[in-house]
Amino acid sequence: MHPAFATVPAEEAVPITFVAKATWETMGVPLDAPARRFAEASGFAAKPGQYLALPAANGDVSHILLGLGDASDLARDPFLAGKLPGLLPAGTFRFANAPDDMHLAALAFALGSYRFDRYRKADAQKATLVPPEGVDIADISRMADAATLARDLINTPANDMGPGELAAAAESLAQRFGAKFGCIVGDDLRQRNFPLIHAVGMASPRAPRLIDIAWGDPAHPKVTLVGKGVCFDTGGVDLKTASGMQIMKKDMGGAANVLALALMIMDAKLKVRLRVLIPAVENSVAGNAFRPLDIFPSRKGPTVEIGNTDAEGRLVLADALALADEEKPDLLIDLGTLTGAARVALGPDIPPFYTSDDALALDVARCAQAENDPLWRMPLWPAYDAWLDSKVADINNAPSGGFAGSIVCALFLQRFVEAAKNWLHVDIYGWTPSAKPARPEGGECQAARAIYRLLSERYG
C-alpha cells in the first residue's frame, strides 16, 4: 500500500469534510453551532481549495473542512483533494463524505503526497489517509507508485540520469517483477541493425542503448510499449536555444511513463505478454554528431534524410517500433515527448494521441476521461504524408514548412508500423510547468493511467 495511506481504524482518524459552496450557504454541513461560528469567523466560505482546521475544546484538531466551490470550480480542477497533504498537520485522517469521485480524491491525496528529495531533504510525510470504503486501494496505490517512478526519473537531472542510469532503473523494475531484461549497447546497435538509434546517440560519451523488458505468459496477447528515452536533448547540431534546452532532462519522459505503465501492468498481473522497448540516448554535439542532410538506413529498410537533428526522438522510436512491429503485437503503444507543436495545439496538460482504429480511439478517449488523465485524438491526415518525401532518400525526418508538426511526426512513425494489429501513438509533455493540486511542478506521469485503465478492461 502507498505510504500516503494508513491502516488504523477509521474512528481513530480526524474527519475531512468536502464542502460545496451551495451546501455551506444553505447550512447543509453537519457542524455544531460553535464550530460553525468558528468557521464563519475565520472567513470560511467553501471557496475552491479553501482549507480550515477546526479545534476541539482541548486545542487538538477535531475536523477539517476543504472548500470545493461550485460545480464549475470542481470541473476546472477535479484534483482539489491533492492540496491536503501540503496543508494537513501530522496525523491520520479520513474522508467524512465524498467530494464527487472518491477514487479520484484518494488518488489525488496520494499524488499530492509526492516529494522529490534526492538532492534536498524534504519534509517527511506528516499526514496519512485511512483508505475510503468502496475504493480499490490496491489499484490506487499502484497508480500512485507508478506516478512516483515516472516523476522521480524525469526530475533526476541528466548528469545522474543518462542512458546507463535509465537502463539500470528499467532493470531494477524488471527484477522486481521477475521479468527478463536485455540491453544492446553502443556499436552493437549498428551491428544488430539499429542504425537510427546509434546515429542519434553516437556523439555522446555515454553510449546509446536499446533497453528490452519481457514479462508475462507467452499464451496471452502481445502488448508492446515503446518509450522515447532521450536523456538530454541539446538539439544536436541544430542546437536549441538556452531557454529551449532548460528542461530537456525531461526528454526521456516517454521512457519514464512507459516504465510507469509497465509497473501497473505487472503489479496488476494483467493477462498480457508484455514487451517494453526503450531507445536510450543523449543527443549531444561533438565532431562525430549526425548532421542536417545526412542520410541513414533504418531497421525497417527505408533510408532517412535528416532534415533537422532536433527531431531526434522520432528517429530512435522508428528503429524501436520497427523491432516491435516484427512480432505483430496485438497492441503496440509508443509514448514520447516529441513536438512543441502538440503543446501549441493543446497545452501542457492534454497530450494528443493518434491511431487509425476508431474503436480503439473511442476506448482511449473514454478511459482518459474516466481516469481524469486527459488525452485528445488528432488525425493521421493522409494528405500530409507527402510532406515527408525526400528528393534523395525514402523519407525526411523533419520537412520544412512548420505546419502540423505533431501530425507530421505521427505520420513519420506510422511508416515504421505495418504488422501490428493496433497502434497507438501519444505525444506527451511529461512536465507540469507550475504546481497544481496533486501535480507538483516538475516531471509528470501522463497518459499512463488512462492506458492502464484501457488495458485493464481489455486484458484484466
Side-chain angles (χ1 to χ4, degrees):
M1 190 162 63
H2 190 273
F5 300 113
T7 56
V8 304
E11 58 269 18
E12 297 179 13
V14 176
I16 298 170
T17 296
F18 297 95
V19 186
K21 186 177 180 182
T23 307
W24 181 253
E25 291 174 347
T26 57
M27 308 288 286
V29 180
L31 295 176
D32 59 28
R36 177 84 190 195
R37 287 196 299 272
F38 180 90
E40 291 175 342
S42 300
F44 185 82
K47 296 175 183 178
Q50 189 177 14
Y51 166 90
L52 182 65
L54 299 175
N58 64 358
D60 291 341
V61 175
S62 66
H63 205 121
I64 300 293
L65 303 180
L66 187 72
L68 299 179
D70 56 29
S72 63
D73 292 316
L74 198 57
R76 279 193 290 268
D77 195 343
F79 286 88
L80 281 174
K83 288 178 67 97
L84 288 166
L87 298 171
L88 292 169
T92 303
F93 300 83
R94 63 179 174 86
F95 292 157
N97 64 340
D100 180 42
D101 181 335
M102 193 66 90
H103 165 90
L104 181 60
L107 176 62
F109 189 96
L111 294 177
S113 301
Y114 174 80
R115 302 290 184 274
F116 183 60
D117 58 3
R118 177 167 176 171
Y119 300 95
R120 185 176 68 180
K121 187 176 181 180
D123 294 336
Q125 174 68 36
K126 300 182 298 181
T128 55
L129 181 72
V130 175
E133 291 186 10
V135 303
D136 186 343
I137 202 62
D139 210 38
I140 289 172
S141 291
R142 71 174 59 99
M143 289 181 182
D145 287 342
T148 294
L149 174 63
R151 289 169 171 178
D152 280 351
L153 291 173
I154 297 170
N155 285 331
T156 302
N159 60 309
D160 286 330
M161 187 51 64
E165 290 84 358
L166 183 57
E171 184 173 17
S172 177
L173 181 68
Q175 290 174 347
R176 174 178 166 185
F177 292 101
K180 295 180 181 178
F181 176 83
C183 199
I184 304 170
V185 182
D187 285 340
D188 285 349
L189 289 166
R190 193 163 43 188
Q191 295 170 11
R192 295 177 63 174
N193 195 23
F194 297 100
L196 293 176
I197 299 174
H198 183 269
V200 173
M202 64 185 177
S204 172
R206 301 193 284 184
R209 60 205 68 208
L210 178 62
I211 298 162
D212 192 345
I213 295 173
W215 174 90
D217 188 334
H220 289 156
K222 182 82 172 184
V223 172
T224 302
L225 311 177
V226 179
K228 174 187 170 184
V230 178
C231 295
F232 193 83
D233 182 19
T234 65
V237 174
D238 289 310
L239 195 68
K240 291 179 182 290
T241 62
S243 61
M245 217 182 295
Q246 187 67 37
I247 56 171
M248 280 301 101
K249 69 176 183 178
K250 80 169 185 66
D251 215 22
M252 38 65 70
N257 278 279
V258 157
L259 291 174
L261 178 54
L263 183 157
M264 291 186 278
I265 291 168
M266 293 187 288
D267 190 66
K269 298 180 174 60
L270 298 188
K271 296 179 177 63
V272 298
R273 182 163 52 107
L274 178 68
R275 191 176 192 186
V276 179
L277 295 170
I278 295 173
V281 302
E282 184 174 39
N283 188 19
S284 297
V285 183
N288 64 332
F290 74 122
R291 297 159 290 247
L293 301 190
D294 281 355
I295 298 174
F296 296 94
S298 65
R299 179 178 181 83
K300 189 174 178 62
T303 54
V304 181
E305 181 185 23
I306 306 303
N308 193 305
T309 63
D310 197 19
E312 83 300 329
R314 66 196 70 180
L315 295 173
V316 298
L317 286 177
D319 271 356
L321 284 170
L323 172 62
D325 194 58
E326 291 165 12
E327 293 185 319
K328 302 178 181 180
D330 189 63
L331 181 56
L332 173 55
I333 301 169
D334 75 82
L335 275 68
T337 52
L338 286 156
T339 69
R343 314 288 77 82
V344 171
L346 298 175
D349 296 345
I350 311 172
F353 74 91
Y354 299 83
T355 180
S356 58
D357 187 306
D358 291 340
L360 175 61
L362 288 172
D363 282 346
V364 170
R366 177 179 51 78
C367 290
Q369 182 176 18
E371 201 51 58
N372 280 278
D373 190 11
L375 297 169
W376 194 266
R377 189 184 189 186
M378 298 267 274
L380 289 161
W381 193 247
Y384 295 166
D385 193 68
W387 294 356
L388 293 165
D389 290 348
S390 166
K391 295 179 181 179
V392 292
D394 294 315
I395 188 172
N396 189 297
N397 80 317
S400 60
F403 290 134
S406 183
I407 296 174
V408 170
C409 177
L411 290 169
F412 178 90
L413 295 176
Q414 189 181 39
R415 297 277 189 104
F416 299 88
V417 178
E418 185 176 18
K421 183 178 177 181
N422 288 293
W423 172 56
L424 173 67
H425 162 62
V426 190
D427 189 346
I428 68 169
Y429 191 48
W431 190 264
T432 299
S434 57
K436 306 172 186 177
R439 292 147 294 174
E441 180 180 343
E444 191 51 273
C445 188
Q446 279 188 321
R449 292 200 329 273
I451 297 171
Y452 167 66
R453 186 173 183 125
L454 169 76
L455 298 179
S456 296
E457 291 183 2
R458 291 191 170 197
Y459 308 108

